[in-house]
Amino acid sequence: MRNRMIAGNWKMNKTFSEAVVLAEGLAKELAGGTGDVDVVVAPPTVDLKGVAEVIEKEEAPFALSAQNVYWEEAGAYTGETAPNMLEAIGATYCIIGHSERRDYFGETDEDINKKAKALMAHGIVPISCCGESLEIREAGTHVEFVVDQIKKDTAGLEIADPAKYVIAYEPIWAIGTGKTATADDAQEVCGAIRKTLVEIFGEETAAGIRVLYGGSANPSNIAGFLEKEDVDGALVGGASLKADGFADMVRSAMA
Ligand code: PGA
């Protein structure tokens, strides 16, 4: 079935040396292994190489993720990073479609779909984010909204190995606000995502795709989310910036 996943999105935090210290701290915390839980950290682009080196040196039981990618292979795209560049430094995951990128940088579902295809062509696992704003939640149309995002974000994808495509449901009103969705709120949408995946990819593939919850997840509330049938882990922002707390979340997922 599905291994649980705990992924840390460091966002635009940590200089190179700070990122190395955090990765070393996490390697120490998790030195005993993470059981069946897949652990992923997503540092800023300029810190990826430093964290990759810590992972290699410490034989750390976590994988490296980027926070963004461009879909072209190379060329005149100032400021962007190509999938093969991520591959070359050992990033095996990449977050795409985070609401901050959609809101502040104008990313569309079509862009996110192209990014997923480009990553998968290089064997990099997308962690594809979706989620509704407070306005949509209050209007009661959040399930339809997220289902529509999923359909657009996965259009034409060929998922040979369902462990290699991950979805993160992150209600925007719960990100960085300290306001978490309830575990039932998360299950309602994650369940609808699973149903949509069944329609698109069939029962077997849908059963293997991890759907994470994200939005003010922390060591005290993680267990409640993980009890839910269609919640397979968490994408953690603020609480991933401390090695001990993040490791506690991993241990909760191992329990
Ligand atoms: P948060 O962020 O845990 O700080 O709310 C989650 C995310 O945006 O991935």
Side-chain angles (χ1 to χ4, degrees):
M1 271 294 280
R2 304 184 289 272
N3 281 354
R4 283 177 169 167
M5 175 176 287
I6 303 292
N9 175 10
W10 296 1
K11 306 195 179 184
M12 197 176 73
N13 296 291
K14 305 294 174 190
T15 62
F16 188 87
S17 54
E18 289 167 349
V20 166
V21 169
L22 177 54
E24 285 171 347
L26 190 60
K28 227 176 245 142
E29 286 281 346
L30 298 177
T34 64
D36 287 336
V37 179
D38 291 338
V39 180
V40 177
V41 297
T45 310
V46 294
D47 300 341
L48 284 168
K49 181 69 180 156
V51 175
E53 284 169 1
V54 173
I55 292 173
E56 200 185 338
K57 192 164 134 246
E58 308 293 333
E59 294 179 24
F62 49 84
L64 187 64
S65 175
Q67 296 178 13
N68 186 29
V69 68
Y70 195 55
W71 56 79
E72 293 289 350
E73 290 292 313
Y77 304 100
T78 302
E80 294 297 322
T81 310
N84 70 327
M85 297 173 182
L86 299 180
E87 191 183 5
I89 52 122
T92 47
Y93 291 84
C94 182
I95 297 170
I96 53 174
H98 192 281
S99 59
E100 287 148 17
R101 295 218 54 89
R102 292 177 188 256
D103 283 356
Y104 305 148
F105 305 99
E107 282 188 14
T108 64
D109 288 306
E110 290 67 32
D111 295 340
I112 290 149
N113 180 254
K114 282 192 213 163
K115 290 181 180 200
K117 287 175 180 156
L119 289 169
M120 290 163 86
H122 285 272
I124 299 173
V125 179
I127 301 177
S128 189
C129 303
C130 57
E132 81 286 356
S133 65
L134 184 59
E135 206 182 358
I136 292 170
R137 165 68 54 166
E138 284 175 345
T141 52
H142 49 285
V143 171
E144 295 93 297
F145 180 84
V146 172
V147 163
D148 184 60
Q149 282 185 320
I150 296 293
K151 286 183 181 160
K152 289 176 177 155
D153 297 348
T154 62
L157 290 191
E158 287 184 22
I159 301 181
D161 178 354
K164 301 219 160 132
Y165 184 78
V166 178
I167 291 174
Y169 166 59
E170 301 203 310
I172 299 169
W173 47 273
I175 295 178
T177 57
K179 201 170 161 183
T180 37
T182 65
D184 286 335
D185 289 337
Q187 171 56 31
E188 180 195 26
V189 180
C190 293
I193 291 172
R194 181 94 48 211
K195 255 208 208 133
T196 309
L197 293 172
V198 171
E199 282 164 25
I200 302 171
F201 297 108
E203 201 66 69
E204 203 179 319
T205 301
I209 295 176
R210 266 80 59 89
V211 182
L212 314 181
Y213 167 76
S216 301
N218 62 42
S220 356
N221 62 25
I222 180 93
F225 290 107
L226 293 173
E227 274 171 17
K228 296 295 173 183
E229 189 185 341
D230 290 300
V231 179
D232 303 311
L235 179 56
V236 185
S240 71
L241 296 174
K242 289 223 161 73
D244 53 354
F246 186 65
D248 281 344
M249 296 177 82
V250 173
R251 285 187 276 269
S252 289
M254 288 165 69

